[in-house]
Amino acid sequence: MSFLEELKRRRTFAIIAHPDAGKTTLTEKLLLFGGAIQTAGAVKSNKIKKSTTSDFMEIEKQRGISVATSVMTFEYKNLKINILDTPGHKDFAEDTYRTLTAVDSVVLVVDCVKGVEEQTERLMEVCRMRDTPVIIFVNKMDRDGQNPFDLLDELESKLNIKVRPLTWPVNGGSDFKGVYHLLDKKLNFFKVNKTRVEDDILPIELNSQLLDEAVGAKDANQLREDVELIEGVYDEFDPQSYLKGEVAPVFFGSGVNNFGVMELLDTFCAISPNPISRQTDKRVVEPTENKLTGFVFKIHANIDPKHRDRIAFLRICSGQFERGKFYKHVRLGKDMRFASPFMFMADRKDVVEDGYPGDVIGLYDTGNFKIGDTLTEGEALQFTGIPSFSPEIFKEVINTDPMKSKQLEKGIQQLTEEGVAQLFTVPLGNRRIIGTVGELQFEVIQYRLLQEYGASCRFEAKSYTKACWLTSDDKQKLAEFIRLKHNQIAYDKDENPVFFAETDWILRMNEQNNPDITFHKTSEFKVTG
Ligand code: G4P
């Protein structure tokens, strides 16, 4: 197959959801369709089930599973589809945000009973920042959920995106009869069946008597009314608006019953984008360019504590990746080759000879990579749009074993490079402050520092809730601000100044009083991705 053919058949996306909405179930059904797995139950949920944060076995298990399920690849209708896994637990949201930088589109799963939940809103904010195309799957239609029209209104208002249903449910809950495909004009009957991969589809016209026979006169009339309302209220579905991230097509179904999944998958295959062009600090890189470019969006370290190996996940943006060939690590200005690059195939990993735009390649790393690092065939460019997001919980690291300061320093450095949390340094006394989006990370860090580096520490809570990166065209004003506010200033890993604030209000006051200084909510302020 030619390079262009390989490129055109790639689809790389993430499934995002609030925990328990059905992400794992849907992923599994998609893999079943693709023949990548043979039986239900083969995909392990990577969620930490319990709310308790002290189950360390669970954390370890989670780390193992999340490597195995980081990328799942399957073939369907001659397309090569890469699903990038995103941790559902909110404390790992930052990992999810970064994964979203490596995909070309997203499928959002919403529970029809619970509607739009907190985590859904935050994940969608990131998609909206990047104009990522989104398809919505309303799951668990076999449960008594909200009225579908109300749900659509909620999706629009809370997720700040226009929606367009492409299927429509006939009833819901115990009386759920199926979904009507609004474009294909076909009725898909619902049957409880957890293993079936074929759907029971009847091509029925809305006005046909067959519809009454199939679902009963009352439901048939209700469906006709609903469809009339939909056609009146919603604009016709426009794939271009979807690709621009302006409108999200909506499907209804039941993942666990394998229902509505095929419509979703078929539409996804028909409309979702090929690998898209990507912004760098120098220029836009087109996937069709024949020279390799790619960036690291995830690093997994010390899976086996006996080996200090790390795995860097490289998203290929252009060109063909070849095993054993030298590539330039732009930040280090160093040529590197990879003897055993691998790809994940559902439940196993295989060494690969090559990879194409959209693919994610696992590279064994001995400490050369940081998140955001770029590989090229020589050109000095750096992909942008892989920012750090403002953490919400801040704690100072206090060393409790002075004999192990070096180990502590190294451990903190490596774990934060891996992206477990963000590290800020306060110049006075070289104090270390760790910022995260969830409490769980602190337990993970403390546990891993001890297990993997033999270092022990405790954390002292800080009252900050916001961190903003600072820039200004007026260098003097910035220096003056930093001097005045030195108690609230620290530096990130790249030595950019960051301002800590206790509350939104304090942050706003500082913004108002210092109009020459810009307060950025993410670390990337020069170019947006
Ligand atoms: P997540 O990855 O988004 O966290 O969700 P997951 O797929 O693990 O699904 C969460 C729970 O919802 C699971 O039940 C799953 O079986 C159930 N579920 C998924 N899709 C549907 C659906 O269409 N209808 C109904 N009624 N339930 C659905 P569980 O009890 O937590 O786990 P399990 O023991 O069933 O695996």
Side-chain angles (χ1 to χ4, degrees), residues 18-25 47 139-140 142-143 254-256:
H18 191 91
D20 270 343
K23 178 172 70 74
T24 310
T25 311
K47 74 189 153 183
N139 192 28
K140 305 195 185 181
D142 57 320
R143 291 206 179 150
S254 168
V256 78

Side-chain angles (χ1 to χ4, degrees), residues 15-29 44-47 49 85-86 88-89 109 111-113 137-143 190 194 253-259:
I15 304 183
I16 56 174
H18 191 91
D20 270 343
K23 178 172 70 74
T24 310
T25 311
L26 181 64
T27 306
E28 180 172 279
K29 300 302 171 185
K44 301 282 177 297
S45 166
N46 76 3
K47 74 189 153 183
K49 290 243 176 196
D85 193 32
T86 53
H89 196 291
V109 184
D111 180 332
C112 73
V113 185
F137 184 72
V138 178
N139 192 28
K140 305 195 185 181
M141 287 305 293
D142 57 320
R143 291 206 179 150
F190 175 64
K194 299 192 187 212
S254 168
V256 78
N257 291 298
N258 217 345
F259 190 80

